[in-house]
């Protein structure tokens, strides 16, 4: 941390981060610090930049200016080994992105074996345990196409946990799921959070936020508009924009 | 009409057709392997971000696709010796087919790679894989599967294109038909027989593609 010349940082530290897609300012002067073991839920209307925000953390998107320090390493710094840093960051996608040509177990063990260089037998043992933990002990040899959406997303979470990451990022993990499958995925996410994982979760699932999040960050038009505890945010939103947003997602 | 058709002569010439068939098979097989190598190298060059490799690869692919194979073959056969490279006609033939088919295969493989959803690359990037690991473990195994049917098509084209080598006096299958046509003035017998053999090769290749498809498994269905 001292080598970056910055003061004490959290696990994920955005300082005045800006990003443009062409002329569109998709992230506007973002300053946000996520502490170790903290769970931060990011919500906001479609196109508000919340996915872009977490995709910057593991460098799937590059930032234009400002500082983004993750696990003590400054992104974009030549001294930062992005490939190495990514092994410490799990990323769960909205559309799962499991490898279709690999079984559930192979999906979980692929990166541990080839990236972490863990011996195959050991990786497979850990993989089976992780699949059991997400409730899929009987699906170890199933291919993604043979699994439901909820099951695929649980495999995807196990795939991230197989790398023993310090941080987990979730990009709308339940948005592509049928309603009856949402809770099985959220239950796994709650379990991961309760084990002390540092998490940034883009979601509109208020039940999840209330249960495990220390903080809810509300974004609109690329900027962080409001930030507070789930209780504060959902019960007493402070801005017009967050009130308008909440009235839309709460109406039904 | 059929009373003029001499099956006896065909049977008499069968050893010649057999030799031609064998030559066509092995020179096509060798050329296909060569074309795969040329194609993979060209495709890798073509997918680079920097222009240094991409531009020459594109120029080569365009040049090959824009010109007739016969012209390319004649350039190698008649042109190269004038530039000081004298090669046996068989080598020239295999070289021409490899270099020609390679350009098409490069595009087939590129299309296969580009057909892999972006999410697959992102998932492997996010798990800390290097470019080479990503390609080897995630992208190429999936791309290879979607690439088999068009590769088979290219293989069939290559076998048929190999008939042009008869023009530089390689004794392959079409050459055998030509011999029967010119020795005995029996073009119907000669060319119908080689057509039957090409059909046989076609079904052989189709069977091979089916086997390799099954061998790669059916489990890779996209979700």
């Amino acid at each position: 941390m001292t080598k970056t010349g910055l003061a004490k940082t959290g696990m994920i530290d955005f300082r005045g981060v800006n990003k443009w897609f062409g002329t569109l300012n998709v992230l506007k002067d973002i300053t946000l610090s996520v502490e170790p073991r903290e769970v931060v839920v990011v919500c906001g209307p479609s196109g508000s930049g919340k996915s872009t925000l977490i995709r910057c953390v593991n460098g799937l998107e590059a930032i234009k200016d400002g500082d983004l320090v993750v696990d003590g390493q400054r992104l974009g710094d030549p001294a930062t080994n992005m490939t190495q840093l990514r092994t410490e960051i799990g990323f769960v996608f909205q559309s799962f992105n499991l490898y279709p040509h690999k079984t559930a177990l192979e999906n979980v063990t692929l990166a541990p074996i080839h990236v972490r260089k863990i011996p195959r037998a050991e990786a497979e043992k850990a993989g089976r345990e992780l699949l059991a933990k997400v409730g899929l002990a009987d699906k170890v040899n199933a291919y993604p196409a043979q699994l439901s959406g909820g099951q695929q997303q649980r495999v995807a979470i196990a795939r991230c946990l197989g790398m023993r990451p310090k941080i987990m990022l979730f990009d709308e993990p339940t948005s592509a799921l049928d309603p009856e499958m949402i809770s099985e995925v959220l239950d796994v996410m709650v379990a991961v959070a309760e084990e002390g994982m540092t998490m940034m979760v883009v979601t509109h699932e208020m039940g999840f936020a209330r249960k495990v999040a220390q903080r809810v960050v509300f974004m609109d038009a690329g900027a962080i508009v409001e930030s507070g505890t789930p209780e504060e945010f959902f019960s007493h939103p402070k801005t017009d924009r967050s009130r308008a947003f909440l009235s839309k997602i709460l109406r039904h | 009409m059929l009373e003029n058709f001499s099956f006896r002569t065909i049977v008499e010439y069968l050893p010649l057709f057999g030799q031609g068939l064998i030559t066509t098979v092995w020179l096509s097989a060798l050329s296909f392997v060569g074309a795969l190598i040329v194609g993979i190298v060209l495709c890798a060059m073509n997918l680079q971000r920097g222009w240094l490799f991409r531009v020459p690869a594109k120029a080569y692919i365009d040049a090959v696709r824009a010109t007739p194979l016969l012209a390319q073959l004649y350039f190698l056969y008649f042109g190269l010796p004038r530039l000081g490279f004298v090669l046996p006609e068989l080598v020239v033939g295999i070289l021409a087919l490899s270099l020609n088919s390679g350009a098409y295969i490069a595009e087939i493989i590129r299309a296969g790679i580009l057909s892999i959803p972006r999410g697959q690359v992102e998932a492997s990037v996010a798990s800390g894989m290097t470019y080479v690991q990503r390609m080897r473990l995630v992208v190429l195994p999936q791309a290879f599967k979607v690439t088999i049917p068009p590769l088979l098509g290219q293989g069939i084209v290559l076998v048929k294109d190999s008939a042009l080598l008869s023009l530089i006096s390689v004794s392959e299958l079409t050459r055998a038909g030509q011999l029967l046509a010119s020795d005995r003035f029996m073009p119907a017998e000669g060319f119908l027989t080689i057509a039957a053999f090409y059909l046989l090769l076609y079904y052989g290749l189709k069977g091979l593609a089916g086997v390799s498809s099954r061998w790669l498994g059916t489990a890779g269905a996209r979700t």
Side-chain angles (χ1 to χ4, degrees), chain B residues 58-110:
Chain B
K58 278 198 191 304
Y60 176 86
I61 290 168
D62 284 342
V64 168
R65 298 215 295 183
T67 53
L69 172 57
L70 186 59
Q72 296 161 13
L73 185 65
Y74 279 169
F75 168 75
L76 293 177
Y77 186 65
F78 296 114
L80 276 191
R82 302 286 296 222
L83 302 175
F85 302 95
V86 185
L87 300 168
E89 55 262 28
L90 248 174
V91 176
V92 170
I94 290 170
L95 201 63
L97 290 176
S98 300
L99 292 173
N100 176 272
S101 239
Y104 294 93
I105 286 178
E107 290 295 90
I108 289 171
I109 297 173
R110 192 169 73 106

Side-chain angles (χ1 to χ4, degrees), chain A residues 55-72:
Chain A
R55 286 167 61 88
C56 286
V57 175
N58 72 344
L60 283 179
E61 305 281 353
I63 63 171
K64 180 68 186 167
D65 60 44
D67 281 317
L68 176 49
V69 180
V70 178
D71 192 22

Side-chain angles (χ1 to χ4, degrees), chain A residues 147-203:
Chain A
L147 300 173
S148 72
Q151 290 170 331
Q152 289 190 54
Q153 194 61 298
R154 284 185 281 154
V155 173
I157 294 171
R159 176 170 69 173
C160 291
L161 292 173
M163 292 295 279
R164 306 199 179 286
K166 293 180 182 167
I167 298 167
M168 292 264 288
L169 308 169
F170 295 80
D171 188 5
E172 306 208 31
T174 58
S175 302
L177 298 176
D178 290 333
E180 76 270 22
M181 294 172 182
I182 290 177
S183 68
E184 66 189 48
V185 171
L186 291 178
D187 287 347
V188 170
M189 290 168 60
V190 168
V192 173
E194 283 171 350
E195 285 175 9
M197 182 68 73
T198 307
M199 290 166 58
M200 282 184 83
V201 184
V202 174
T203 186

